[in-house]
Amino acid sequence: MATRTDAPTRREQILKEAARLFAERGFHGVGVDEIGAAVGISGPGLYRHFAGKDAMLAELLVGISGQLLTGAKRRVAEADGGGAEGLLDSLIEGHIDFALDDRPLITLHDRELDRLRDSDRKMVRQLQRQYVELWVGVVREVYPGLGEPAARSAVHSVFGLLNSTPHLGRGGSLPGRAATAELLHRMARGAFAAAGA
């Protein structure tokens, strides 16, 4: 989800490899030595950047929840009265970028959220609730006849659809990023249209 064009920091490299390895083999199936080797440093060298694997997991899951919310707020601010339809498309595009580019984090969230400390898990849930409610407001502008509970259910359903990307197979089995993004976008809009009908 990062929009930076400069090289990732060592910390970002560690987090990216940790996410990939945790998603592939599970949190307990990966040691700090393996994460270190993936980024070219010793396992103990990781402790200069993180207190341990738990800290990496927390930063990954709290971090992506915060990034999604921040990105959505930015899209709302940039819409600046440009219309709810366009804003909904923009929100969908932002979430699709996440779903296609950060697939290991989706797997990680599904499998490992319960491993977080209570305070970190609560923070993830709080950020996610704010993200959902932002979407609910936009969906209700596009479909004013849709009640709040139904709009919330529709948003969660669309997230489930978009977040299914880890189950689509390896990159080579997909029709290409642009075609996949377009398909996901059409399906998301179709789901909202069906809910609002």
Side-chain angles (χ1 to χ4, degrees):
M1 242 186 90
T3 56
R4 304 169 35 143
T5 56
D6 51 340
T9 65
R10 176 65 74 175
R11 188 176 180 84
E12 290 167 337
Q13 291 172 340
I14 293 167
L15 286 172
K16 181 178 179 180
E17 288 304 315
R20 181 184 64 79
L21 290 167
F22 292 159
E24 286 176 3
R25 299 207 304 271
F27 181 74
H28 288 301
V30 178
V32 292
D33 290 336
E34 293 170 270
I35 298 169
V39 294
I41 61 176
S42 69
L46 289 179
Y47 293 110
R48 287 194 301 269
H49 302 277
F50 296 96
K53 287 193 331 180
D54 291 333
M56 288 179 220
L57 181 64
E59 188 159 332
L60 285 164
L61 295 181
V62 173
I64 194 58
S65 298
Q67 287 176 40
L68 284 168
L69 178 59
T70 299
K73 286 180 175 179
R74 187 188 74 249
R75 288 171 183 272
V76 169
E78 289 171 355
D80 196 29
E85 291 273 354
L87 178 52
L88 181 57
D89 284 331
S90 180
L91 289 173
I92 292 169
E93 287 164 11
H95 200 94
I96 288 171
D97 285 343
F98 157 68
L100 291 176
D101 298 339
D102 292 312
R103 292 164 70 185
L105 290 176
I106 296 171
T107 301
L108 199 57
H109 179 276
D110 289 347
R111 287 188 195 156
E112 312 291 355
L113 182 64
D114 289 343
R115 297 196 191 287
L116 293 181
R117 292 179 310 175
D118 284 346
S119 60
D120 291 327
R121 190 168 50 251
K122 285 178 183 172
M123 177 59 72
V124 168
R125 293 297 190 202
Q126 178 185 13
L127 292 166
Q128 289 174 340
R129 276 193 299 275
Q130 291 176 52
Y131 184 61
V132 167
E133 293 310 309
L134 188 149
W135 277 68
V136 167
V138 174
V139 168
R140 292 193 71 210
E141 281 186 57
V142 175
Y143 302 101
L146 196 58
E148 191 172 310
R152 192 171 292 108
S153 293
V155 167
H156 281 288
S157 296
V158 166
F159 288 170
L161 168 74
L162 299 179
N163 291 347
S164 68
T165 55
H167 307 290
L168 296 178
R170 293 279 175 215
S173 65
L174 299 176
R177 191 190 189 287
T180 301
E182 182 185 344
L183 174 63
L184 290 171
H185 196 112
R186 282 198 321 270
M187 292 173 70
R189 283 307 300 256
F192 283 132

